[in-house]
Amino acid sequence: MSTAEEQFPPLDLRLTEENPEDLYEYAPCGYCSCLPDGTLVKINQTLLGWLGYAREELVARRCFQDLLTIGGRLHYEIHCVPLLMLQGQVRELSYQLRLQSGGTLPVLMNATMLYDAHAQPLVVRITLFDITERRLYEQELLRAKAEAEDQREQLGRANEQLTSKNEQLIRINAELDNFVYTASHDLKQPASNMLGLFEELKRTATFNDPEAAGMVNMFDNSLRQMLSTIEELTEVVQLQRQLEQVPVEAIELLPFTEEIIRGLEQPLYEPSADFILDFAAVPTLRLSRPGLHSVLYNLLSNAVKYAHPSRRPRVEVRTTLVEGTPVLSVRDNGRGIDLQRHGQELFQLFRRFHPEVVGSGMGLYLVNRLVNQAGGYLEVDSVVGEGTTFRIYFPS
C-alpha cells in the first residue's frame, strides 16, 4: 500500500447507497419538469416546500408560467420559450415565484429542452435556485451605492463651497494687502515729516513747564513707534509679494544661520547670547532665501530681545526628522509666554506679551504667515520664566 493511500481511512460503502429519488426530492434547489406548453409533469419536494402547495395541486393541473408573477410570465413566454426552442437551453434568468401565502420568492432559473427521437420538443427540465440572500445583498449594495453617490454629491457641493470661500478669502487677503501697502506707503511720508518737524521744534523751541520735558519725550517715542509700525507693515506686504516671485533653493543652514547671528550682534542686545547650532539631521532646506531669512531673523532676535534679565541668553537652533518631515526648532531660556492666556492670539498682528520690552508685535505674525505660505506649520511650547521653543514643520 502506498503512503498516499495510508493517509485516508477506508471508504464507508454506506455513503454510496443514496437513494436517487431522495437526491431529487430533497436537493438544495428546486426541480421541475414541464411540457413544451408549460404544463407541470414533475416537481420536487424542495420546490413544493418553497411554494407552499401540495403535489396534486400542481402536477398536470398548473403550468410553470402560472407560478411566476405577471411580469415574469410575460418574460418567460416572450423571451425564454423562444430561446429554448432556438438553442435548447437558457441560463441564469431571474424570476419571482408566486407563493401560496401571497408572497414572492426570488429565484435564478436554468432550463434545458429535451427532444424525442424525431427531434420534436418533449419536456423542459427546470432548475431553480433561491437567491433571497443574494437579492438582499444586491439591494444592500445598491443602497450603499446610492448613499455613497449622495455623499459624493454632498462632498462635491461642500468642495465647491470651500473653493468659493477660498477664492473669496484669497481675494480679500489680496485686497487687504493692497490696502495695507497703500495706506502704509501714504502714511509713511506724513509721519516722517511730523518726526522731522518735531525734531526741529525740540531744537528751536523753549519749554518753561517743568513737565514739558516728559511730555516731549513721550510724544517723540510715540511718533517713532508709529513710523516704525508703518515701515514694518510695508515690509510685511513687500516681503509677501517678493516671495511669490522668488524660487526655492537648497539652503545650507549652518552658514546661513551664522550670517543671521552676526547681524544680531548689536549693542542693543546685552548681555551677548550663546548660540548652539546643530543641523546634522537636516543640513539643508529647500525654501526661498528671503522667507527663511525673515523667519530665522525674527525668531532669533526675539530669543535675545526677550531674554530673562537674571541670566545669560542661550539659544539652541536644531533640525530633526519627525516621520520623514524636516523640523527646524528654536529654543531659548528667556522670559517665556503664558500660552494658556495668550495662546489663541500668539500669531495675531500687533499682539505683544511683554510690554516692558520695546517691540511692534509683528514678528510672530510675519513668521507664522511665511511658514504657512511655504506649506508648513508651527508648534510652540513655553513656560513663563523658563523659556520658549518654536518648532517649524516644513513640507518634506
Side-chain angles (χ1 to χ4, degrees):
M1 183 178 294
S2 66
T3 304
E5 292 175 340
E6 292 176 353
Q7 293 177 354
F8 298 97
L11 180 63
D12 188 345
L13 295 180
R14 289 175 299 175
L15 297 177
T16 66
E17 297 175 359
E18 290 281 358
N19 187 336
E21 187 65 24
D22 284 344
L23 289 175
Y24 174 82
E25 289 292 343
Y26 300 102
C29 56
Y31 287 125
C32 65
S33 300
C34 59
L35 301 178
D37 66 356
T39 302
L40 291 164
V41 295
K42 193 173 183 180
I43 186 168
N44 76 341
Q45 190 60 46
T46 300
L47 183 54
L48 289 171
W50 290 352
L51 294 168
Y53 287 101
R55 193 181 307 274
E56 57 270 17
E57 292 180 281
L58 299 179
V59 173
R61 293 178 178 272
R62 304 285 292 274
C63 293
F64 173 75
Q65 50 266 44
D66 294 336
L67 304 179
L68 305 177
T69 58
I70 294 175
R73 178 170 184 165
L74 289 173
H75 183 273
Y76 179 82
E77 293 176 346
I78 296 173
H79 178 75
C80 180
V81 172
L83 277 179
L84 277 170
M85 294 296 185
L86 181 64
Q87 60 188 27
Q89 64 179 9
V90 291
R91 292 287 180 267
E92 297 189 346
L93 296 181
S94 178
Y95 290 108
Q96 293 272 355
L97 295 179
R98 293 193 306 170
L99 309 181
Q100 187 185 41
S101 63
T104 59
L105 178 73
V107 294
L108 202 63
M109 185 189 84
N110 294 331
T112 303
M113 178 75 76
L114 299 183
Y115 299 88
D116 61 16
H118 304 288
Q120 295 299 312
L122 179 64
V123 68
V124 180
R125 288 180 177 174
I126 296 173
T127 306
L128 300 168
F129 299 93
D130 182 354
I131 58 171
T132 301
E133 293 185 1
R134 171 177 165 177
R135 185 62 56 84
L136 291 174
Y137 176 68
E138 290 174 348
Q139 292 173 351
E140 180 64 22
L141 284 179
L142 290 173
R143 185 191 64 78
K145 180 181 178 182
E147 289 182 356
E149 290 177 351
D150 182 59
Q151 291 177 357
R152 184 175 62 184
E153 290 178 1
Q154 293 180 9
L155 183 60
R157 290 193 295 269
N159 284 335
E160 289 177 0
Q161 293 176 356
L162 286 175
T163 300
S164 176
K165 291 291 185 183
N166 188 48
E167 292 174 352
Q168 183 180 5
L169 287 174
I170 290 173
R171 185 177 67 255
I172 292 173
N173 283 336
E175 291 173 354
L176 286 174
D177 282 348
N178 289 333
F179 171 77
V180 170
Y181 180 77
T182 302
S184 59
H185 182 271
D186 291 345
L187 289 172
K188 183 177 180 180
Q189 188 60 45
S192 298
N193 292 340
M194 290 174 62
L195 184 60
L197 289 172
F198 189 67
E199 289 293 334
E200 183 64 20
L201 179 63
K202 288 194 298 181
R203 189 181 66 82
T204 59
T206 302
F207 301 97
N208 297 320
D209 190 338
E211 297 182 359
M215 296 177 63
V216 166
N217 188 48
M218 291 172 58
F219 191 79
D220 183 61
N221 290 337
S222 297
L223 270 178
R224 295 182 184 278
Q225 182 65 38
M226 180 177 67
L227 184 60
S228 174
T229 299
I230 291 172
E231 290 175 345
E232 290 181 356
L233 280 172
T234 305
E235 180 186 356
V236 168
V237 179
Q238 285 179 332
L239 183 58
Q240 180 81 13
R241 292 179 175 178
Q242 289 173 5
L243 291 178
E244 293 173 356
Q245 302 174 356
V246 175
V248 298
E249 58 179 295
I251 302 173
E252 293 188 22
L253 292 173
L254 183 58
F256 186 80
T257 307
E258 289 174 340
E259 181 181 351
I260 294 175
I261 292 172
R262 285 193 293 270
L264 296 177
E265 293 176 357
Q266 303 176 26
L268 174 65
Y269 303 123
E270 292 292 347
S272 59
D274 294 326
F275 289 91
I276 295 90
L277 309 181
D278 180 5
F279 303 118
V282 185
T284 63
L285 287 175
R286 287 191 58 81
L287 295 164
S288 68
R289 187 171 290 269
L292 182 59
H293 184 279
S294 183
V295 168
L296 271 176
Y297 178 84
N298 277 284
L299 291 180
L300 295 180
S301 62
N302 279 353
V304 180
K305 182 191 300 184
Y306 295 101
H308 197 282
S310 65
R311 56 178 172 262
R312 182 184 181 90
R314 176 186 173 90
V315 184
E316 300 177 14
V317 188
R318 303 179 186 279
T319 55
T320 55
L321 274 175
V322 179
E323 297 181 352
T325 298
V327 180
L328 175 65
S329 63
V330 177
R331 178 182 182 184
D332 65 57
N333 63 342
R335 300 168 185 253
I337 304 170
D338 187 346
L339 294 180
Q340 289 188 343
R341 180 179 178 186
H342 301 297
Q344 296 297 323
E345 53 184 341
L346 189 61
F347 300 113
Q348 294 181 16
L349 197 59
F350 302 129
R351 294 297 191 272
R352 300 180 63 243
F353 313 111
H354 299 286
E356 70 278 10
V357 180
V358 176
S360 62
M362 297 186 63
L364 291 182
Y365 166 81
L366 180 58
V367 167
N368 187 55
R369 184 165 181 176
L370 294 175
V371 169
N372 289 336
Q373 185 182 4
Y377 63 95
L378 271 167
E379 287 183 353
V380 185
D381 293 328
S382 190
V383 178
V384 176
E386 295 184 13
T388 302
T389 301
F390 290 90
R391 284 184 294 274
I392 307 171
Y393 292 77
F394 291 102
S396 53

